[in-house]
Amino acid sequence: MSRRLFLLLLSLAIGFATSGWCAERTVVLTSLEWPPYTGAALTRGGASGEVVRTAFESMGYVVEVRYFPWKRAVDLALHDPDVDGFYPEYASSLRSGLFLYSEAMGSSSLGFAEYAGHDFAWKRLEDLIGLRIGTVKGYVNTEPFDRMVADGKLEVDTSVNDLFNLRKVLGGRVDMAAVDVNVFRYLCLTDESLRSRAHLLKLNDRLLGINSLHVCFKRGARGRELLRVFNEGLRRISAGDVQARYLEMIFPGR
């Protein structure tokens, strides 16, 4: 075998090996437009995107994120063989049988947005009976709240995203809308349709709950390995601090 042919075959072999290694260490995840946590136009994909990327990068992995409406993001993670999982998801027994949940990579304070002139005082979920509440299709909220919705005890009006729900509050179409506190602040600061009317909206004094955020991986051998890798990466980077620093950059002095 000539030296030239040997070098060519060696180069091809290294190329194939490197290609396989890169594919194995590339994680494909779906997500949604949910700023400031996730978003295609946000630096590093948002606060949650920063955590996901930093954790995997600390373990030598590369992350590819594809953005879709939430229900489609979840469906693709479940059915598309090219997708390894999705994020960010609240802990939920409703999906725990379908996916492998990572350790917590952050948290979300979930509250209610309401018209500034209204003050819905409530202590128990039963106090919300009779109100029309905006929710996002496919979102998990809190298990007690979602259970009462499923049982028909709470009336909800679903939208495709939080922005539509806030517009419904302003238009009087719903009494309040379930929304993450930071998402509410971000939309009021950045969305043209809300900014001039943001003073007409406020967050209810009482939170619905504080939820942990997770990556959900496909069940199977690859999913179990990626879960192990990601959880180890989370322990290396201090995920809560990464999220907090990112949000501080967006909301200085919050």
Side-chain angles (χ1 to χ4, degrees), residues 29 38 53 65 82-83 89 95-96 99-100 116 189 199 219-220 229 249 253:
L29 301 172
T38 60
R53 292 177 190 278
V65 183
D82 294 328
V83 176
E89 173 67 303
R95 289 182 179 142
S96 60
F99 296 97
L100 301 170
L189 281 172
H199 64 287
R219 288 190 172 274
V229 169
M249 178 180 67

Side-chain angles (χ1 to χ4, degrees), residues 132-138 156-161 165 168:
R132 191 171 178 82
I133 303 170
T135 60
V136 177
K137 186 175 183 180
V156 298
D157 186 293
T158 61
S159 295
V160 294
N161 58 39
N165 277 336
K168 286 180 179 179

Side-chain angles (χ1 to χ4, degrees), residues 20-79:
W21 182 88
C22 289
E24 184 177 326
R25 291 202 166 226
T26 297
V27 185
V28 179
L29 301 172
T30 55
S31 192
L32 78 163
E33 294 295 331
W34 193 52
Y37 296 97
T38 60
L42 297 176
T43 302
R44 299 273 286 174
S48 293
E50 174 75 4
V51 173
V52 169
R53 292 177 190 278
T54 304
F56 269 121
E57 286 167 0
S58 75
M59 300 294 289
Y61 283 68
V62 175
V63 179
E64 176 189 332
V65 183
R66 302 173 184 176
Y67 297 90
F68 300 95
W70 185 239
K71 188 176 183 303
R72 180 158 171 73
V74 176
D75 288 345
L76 285 171
L78 185 62
H79 300 295

Side-chain angles (χ1 to χ4, degrees), residues 1-247:
M1 182 185 297
S2 70
R3 178 177 174 81
R4 182 176 297 177
L5 179 58
F6 172 77
L7 290 175
L8 175 61
L9 293 174
L10 179 62
S11 176
L12 289 173
I14 292 173
F16 285 132
T18 302
S19 175
W21 182 88
C22 289
E24 184 177 326
R25 291 202 166 226
T26 297
V27 185
V28 179
L29 301 172
T30 55
S31 192
L32 78 163
E33 294 295 331
W34 193 52
Y37 296 97
T38 60
L42 297 176
T43 302
R44 299 273 286 174
S48 293
E50 174 75 4
V51 173
V52 169
R53 292 177 190 278
T54 304
F56 269 121
E57 286 167 0
S58 75
M59 300 294 289
Y61 283 68
V62 175
V63 179
E64 176 189 332
V65 183
R66 302 173 184 176
Y67 297 90
F68 300 95
W70 185 239
K71 188 176 183 303
R72 180 158 171 73
V74 176
D75 288 345
L76 285 171
L78 185 62
H79 300 295
D80 189 331
D82 294 328
V83 176
D84 295 306
F86 73 98
Y87 75 94
E89 173 67 303
Y90 293 158
S92 168
S93 61
L94 298 175
R95 289 182 179 142
S96 60
L98 300 175
F99 296 97
L100 301 170
Y101 274 70
S102 74
E103 294 176 7
M105 65 168 191
S107 63
S108 162
S109 296
L110 186 62
F112 289 116
E114 59 190 15
Y115 200 79
H118 299 165
D119 291 299
F120 294 107
W122 65 283
K123 293 183 178 180
R124 305 177 306 148
L125 288 175
E126 285 77 10
D127 297 331
L128 302 177
I129 292 174
L131 297 180
R132 191 171 178 82
I133 303 170
T135 60
V136 177
K137 186 175 183 180
Y139 278 20
V140 170
N141 295 290
T142 66
E143 293 210 4
F145 178 89
D146 292 340
R147 194 178 307 117
M148 288 187 67
V149 171
D151 292 342
K153 295 178 180 178
L154 291 176
E155 181 183 2
V156 298
D157 186 293
T158 61
S159 295
V160 294
N161 58 39
D162 291 298
L163 178 58
F164 276 83
N165 277 336
L166 295 182
R167 289 172 178 168
K168 286 180 179 179
V169 173
L170 286 169
R173 294 171 57 191
V174 295
D175 296 303
M176 52 173 50
V179 63
D180 171 89
V181 169
N182 289 313
V183 172
F184 173 83
R185 291 171 177 162
Y186 186 90
L187 291 175
C188 287
L189 281 172
T190 63
D191 185 80
E192 289 291 337
S193 67
L194 289 183
R195 194 157 46 192
S196 63
R197 298 186 290 168
H199 64 287
L200 299 175
L201 291 169
K202 72 179 183 71
L203 288 167
N204 189 274
D205 291 336
R206 186 175 182 83
L207 286 178
L208 178 57
I210 298 177
N211 293 319
S212 55
L213 296 172
H214 306 262
V215 176
C216 288
F217 296 100
K218 263 194 179 73
R219 288 190 172 274
R222 177 168 168 82
R224 289 192 296 273
E225 176 60 12
L226 291 179
L227 176 68
R228 183 195 66 77
V229 169
F230 183 64
N231 284 342
E232 175 60 29
L234 287 179
R235 289 188 282 272
R236 291 185 179 188
I237 68 169
S238 184
D241 290 344
V242 173
Q243 175 180 295
R245 285 195 297 270
Y246 194 102
L247 293 175

